[in-house]
């Protein structure tokens, strides 16, 4: 009996210790999900669907702030015909902000979003760690490969025999495990719909038992980057990068996706076929029967070739019957909507998946560093200066990435010129200050002047914070801004960058 007290105290102490560990881990998850401040990579909450207005020098569609969001007066007209701010006015407006300790080592750039004129540039030519603002460059590159309304097609075709069916990975990582939702971006194409098409074809030809293969030759590559921390996938900071995936298994902070998304889709599809009366035997992973990568994941009558890794060989489209015949197919939401979702949610895996496909279609390699180098080359092909810029991935998780603030501003100005609709919709999907996503708890309090009218891509890695986007100022003029901070704490850097945006939003700066 005399020993029970110490034992209870030791048990109580252990319980307290484990509780503290749980709290710390929980906070880390919230930090990753951008639900709490911290030093880990941020992920935003999903905002409403992005808007789109593509025209010459059009302004982003920004909702009027409500009184709880901003105590200021209603915004002026967004006609965009107001006088542009002056260099002197912007410099004066930023004098107090630039003196903040958190901005001691920072690169700051302000541009007129309608003319592109540089209004302020502080060390904008210095290459810095960009974190998730890397995604702006990736969106620019992706937009040069995919047509504005292009979708991704997931196909099931016959193998060499009627009892062989091949699920062809076509790049859609947002498949609904059930019926597709025509109003959704994640889940537009449904595995149930695909299974019903295939089961109907199989039963019509008298086939009730099949061997299911998966063709993974399209844009195949590693699932994680060597420059990422080993914990990134397991903690949900990113999902595995693969050309098939389920919308219900997207990785989120604290909720990791599967290590093998392709196997998860294959197994779900086999279950769907089984429920429709088709017996399925899973084939070993490896080469599938038939033409590798056929048919192309791009729908429509213009499909006349079938890709193989790193090459394109002229191959007729699959015949209506017999070996290689298409048994069923479903189409994703347009790539530009997926790209907008990737930026809105700061979805690292989805950004990598779309970037890898775009690089593959351009003939580049599919390793992470190869895709990053391709992104830089595509941005340079638009006539933008990429000196000193290097990318080891397309999402911004790598600390080896280097981007200049003035190049990010070039990309933002380019996005509003009316000539790049895929990039434009991606920018319209950026979170809104004080309202949505990563920016929902930003630009509040004393910095409310920019709430409801600033859209920005955030980025945070330990010791590196960034904010890049656009804001409509008090005169209705569209301004583009980029801020990149090194060496400051996360809370201090975020607060200083918010003040930077609020200052240019409210000054008029004439």
């Amino acid at each position: 009996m005399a020993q029970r007290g110490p034992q209870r105290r030791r048990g109580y102490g252990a319980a307290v210790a484990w509780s503290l560990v749980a709290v710390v881990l929980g906070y880390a998850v919230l930090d990753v999900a951008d639900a709490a401040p911290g030093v880990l990579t941020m992920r935003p909450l999903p905002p409403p669907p992005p808007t789109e207005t593509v025209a010459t020098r059009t302004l982003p569609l920004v909702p009027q702030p409500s009184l709880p969001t901003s105590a200021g007066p209603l915004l002026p007209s967004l006609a965009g015909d107001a006088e542009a701010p002056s260099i002197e006015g912007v410099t004066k407006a930023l004098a107090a902000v630039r003196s903040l300790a958190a901005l001691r080592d920072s690169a700051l750039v302000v541009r007129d979003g309608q003319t592109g004129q540089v209004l302020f540039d502080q060390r904008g030519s210095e290459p810095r760690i960009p974190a998730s603002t890397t995604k702006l460059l990736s969106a620019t590159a992706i937009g040069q490969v995919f047509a504005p309304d292009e979708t991704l097609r997931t196909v099931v075709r016959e193998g060499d025999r009627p009892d062989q069916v091949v699920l062809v990975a076509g790049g859609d990582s947002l498949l609904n495990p059930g019926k597709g939702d025509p109003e959704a971006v994640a889940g537009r194409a449904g595995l149930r719909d695909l299974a019903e098409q295939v089961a109907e074809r199989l039963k019509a030809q008298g086939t009730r038992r099949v061997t299911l293969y998966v063709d993974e030759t399209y844009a195949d590559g590693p699932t994680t980057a060597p420059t990422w921390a080993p914990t990134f996938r397991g903690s949900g900071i990113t999902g595995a990068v693969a050309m098939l995936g389920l919308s219900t298994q997207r990785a989120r902070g604290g909720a990791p996706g599967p290590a093998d998304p392709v196997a998860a889709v294959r197994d779900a599809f086999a279950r769907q076929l089984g429920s429709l009366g088709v017996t399925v035997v899973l084939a070993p992973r490896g080469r599938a029967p038939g033409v590798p990568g056929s048919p192309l994941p791009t729908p429509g009558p213009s499909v006349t070739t079938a890709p193989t890794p790193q090459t394109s060989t002229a191959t007729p489209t699959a015949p209506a019957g017999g070996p290689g015949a298409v048994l069923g197919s479903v189409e994703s939401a347009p790539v530009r909507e997926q790209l907008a979702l990737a930026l809105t949610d700061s979805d690292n895996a989805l950004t990598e998946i779309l970037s890898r496909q775009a690089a593959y279609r351009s003939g580049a390699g599919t390793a992470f560093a190869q895709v990053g180098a391709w992104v830089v080359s595509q941005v340079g092909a638009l006539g933008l200066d990429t000196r000193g810029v290097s990318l080891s991935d397309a999402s911004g998780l790598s600390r080896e990435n280097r981007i200049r603030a003035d190049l990010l501003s070039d990309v933002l100005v380019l996005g509003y010129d009316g000539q790049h609709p895929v990039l434009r919709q991606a920018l319209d999907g950026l979170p809104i200050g004080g309202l949505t996503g990563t920016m929902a708890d930003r630009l509040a309090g004393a910095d409310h002047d920019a709430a409801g009218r600033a859209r920005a891509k955030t980025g945070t890695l330990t010791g590196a914070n960034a904010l890049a986007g656009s804001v409509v100022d008090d005169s209705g003029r569209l301004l583009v801004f980029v801020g990149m901070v090194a060496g400051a704490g996360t809370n201090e850097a975020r607060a200083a960058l918010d003040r930077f945006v609020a200052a240019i939003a409210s000054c008029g700066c004439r």
Side-chain angles (χ1 to χ4, degrees):
M1 293 292 292
Q3 294 182 349
R4 293 182 64 185
Q7 289 176 344
R8 288 180 177 175
R9 287 192 293 271
R10 285 194 297 270
Y12 177 76
V16 171
W18 281 111
S19 297
L20 290 174
V21 170
V23 169
V24 171
L25 291 176
Y27 184 84
V29 168
L30 290 174
D31 175 22
V32 167
D34 204 30
V39 296
L40 301 177
T41 303
M42 298 182 299
R43 290 178 54 84
L45 301 173
T51 58
E52 176 188 14
T53 304
V54 179
T56 302
R57 294 291 176 195
T58 55
L59 293 170
L61 299 181
V62 180
Q64 296 281 326
S66 62
L67 289 179
T69 302
S70 172
L74 292 177
L75 297 180
S77 168
L78 302 186
D81 55 0
E83 181 184 356
S86 67
I87 295 175
E88 296 77 10
V90 172
T91 301
K92 181 179 179 181
L94 292 177
V97 174
R98 293 168 60 197
S99 66
L100 294 173
L103 298 183
R104 185 177 294 110
D105 184 5
S106 64
L108 305 173
V109 176
V110 181
R111 304 271 294 273
D112 182 357
Q114 292 163 242
T115 66
Q117 180 187 9
V118 177
L119 301 173
F120 184 84
D121 188 325
Q122 173 182 290
R123 297 195 287 271
S125 61
E126 295 180 0
R128 291 171 175 263
I129 299 175
S132 279
T133 58
T134 300
K135 293 179 176 68
L136 294 174
L137 264 63
S138 299
T140 305
I142 293 166
Q144 295 183 72
V145 175
F146 289 100
D149 295 317
E150 188 169 349
T151 60
L152 303 173
R153 183 170 59 155
T154 303
V155 173
V156 174
R157 61 172 171 80
E158 188 176 303
D160 295 330
R161 305 192 311 264
D163 64 344
Q164 295 176 338
V165 296
V166 181
L167 175 62
V168 183
D172 189 358
S173 64
L174 302 176
L175 291 163
N176 194 317
K179 302 283 288 184
D181 182 352
E183 302 300 321
V185 176
R188 177 77 59 90
L191 277 185
R192 181 68 181 186
D193 300 318
L194 184 58
E196 289 176 351
Q197 296 175 39
V198 173
E200 182 179 357
R201 288 288 300 273
L202 291 173
K203 292 176 181 178
Q205 64 189 30
T207 303
R208 297 281 181 168
R209 180 183 177 89
V210 297
T211 301
L212 175 61
Y213 297 82
V214 181
D215 184 342
E216 303 176 56
T217 54
Y218 172 71
D220 192 24
T223 56
T224 57
T227 56
W228 293 352
T231 58
F232 279 0
R233 196 205 63 78
S235 61
I237 292 175
T238 182
V241 178
M243 295 302 114
L244 278 178
L246 298 175
S247 61
T248 54
Q249 295 182 340
R250 292 173 67 198
R252 299 184 183 277
D260 190 347
V262 174
V265 174
R266 177 201 62 185
D267 295 348
F269 182 64
R271 290 192 296 270
Q272 291 283 10
L273 284 178
S275 70
L276 294 169
V278 178
T279 301
V280 178
V281 177
L282 297 180
R285 298 282 280 275
R287 189 184 185 281
V291 179
S294 173
L296 275 168
T298 302
S302 62
V303 178
T304 58
T305 60
T308 57
Q310 308 311 311
T311 63
S312 292
T313 56
T315 303
T317 54
V326 173
L327 303 175
S329 67
V330 289
E331 294 182 23
S332 71
V335 169
R336 62 174 174 171
E337 293 184 19
Q338 292 202 24
L339 182 58
L341 179 66
L343 290 187
T344 300
D345 285 0
S346 198
D347 190 319
N348 295 300
L350 182 55
T351 302
E352 296 286 356
I353 289 165
L354 296 175
S355 298
R356 179 179 292 178
Q357 291 183 69
Y360 176 84
R361 291 178 178 216
S362 300
T366 56
F368 286 88
Q370 291 174 315
V371 174
W374 174 82
V375 167
V376 176
S377 71
Q378 292 299 297
V379 173
L382 290 171
L384 304 183
D385 184 0
T386 59
R387 286 177 296 178
V389 176
S390 62
L391 297 180
S392 295
D393 67 17
S395 59
L397 286 178
S398 175
R399 297 188 65 84
E400 296 182 4
N401 292 345
R402 295 294 185 273
I403 298 177
R404 305 188 324 270
D406 58 3
L407 176 58
L408 287 173
S409 74
D410 287 340
V411 167
L412 289 164
V413 170
L414 185 73
Y416 290 112
D417 72 357
Q419 305 301 313
H420 302 82
V422 175
L423 176 59
R424 175 52 193 269
Q425 180 155 2
L427 297 184
D428 276 352
L430 291 177
I432 304 171
L435 293 177
T436 60
T438 315
M439 297 294 292
D441 61 349
R442 302 281 292 267
L443 299 173
D447 302 317
H448 73 270
D449 289 320
R453 46 176 163 152
R455 289 184 181 271
K457 184 71 199 75
T458 55
T460 299
L461 291 171
T462 304
N465 290 267
L467 193 65
S470 64
V471 64
V472 178
D473 73 5
D474 281 350
S475 299
R477 191 78 177 190
L478 178 69
L479 302 180
V480 160
F481 61 84
V482 179
M484 305 178 76
V485 179
T490 299
N491 289 341
E492 292 77 9
R494 291 185 188 182
L497 289 171
D498 288 357
R499 287 190 59 185
F500 163 62
V501 177
I504 61 175
S506 61
C507 76
C509 300
R510 304 294 179 260

